[in-house]
Amino acid sequence: MPLYEYVCEACDCQFELLLRGGQKPVCPTCGGKKLEKQFSVPAAHVTQGSSLPICDVPRAGGGCGLPQCGSGGCGM
């Protein structure tokens, strides 16, 4: 079930909707049906601070050692 972001053309309300099946989106503020779909920015899980995680110093075998980097795939 996708989560979409919209802006209502009638009242300029910005909102998110979880749509199921053939549901048609409606503005929760005014009930308007003329909506503009917005580009969503994916969220990234960050453990500390406000920046994205960065690979550590490369190991002897190449790569940083994280599973997603593979053996030297991250270019470090």
Side-chain angles (χ1 to χ4, degrees), residues 30-70:
C30 72
K33 295 180 181 179
K34 289 185 114 181
L35 308 174
E36 184 178 328
K37 191 184 283 189
Q38 301 296 297
F39 288 107
S40 297
V41 178
H45 177 72
V46 178
T47 55
Q48 294 178 351
S50 61
S51 62
L52 294 175
I54 299 174
C55 295
D56 290 331
V57 178
R59 295 183 180 180
C64 67
L66 293 175
Q68 63 268 32
C69 292

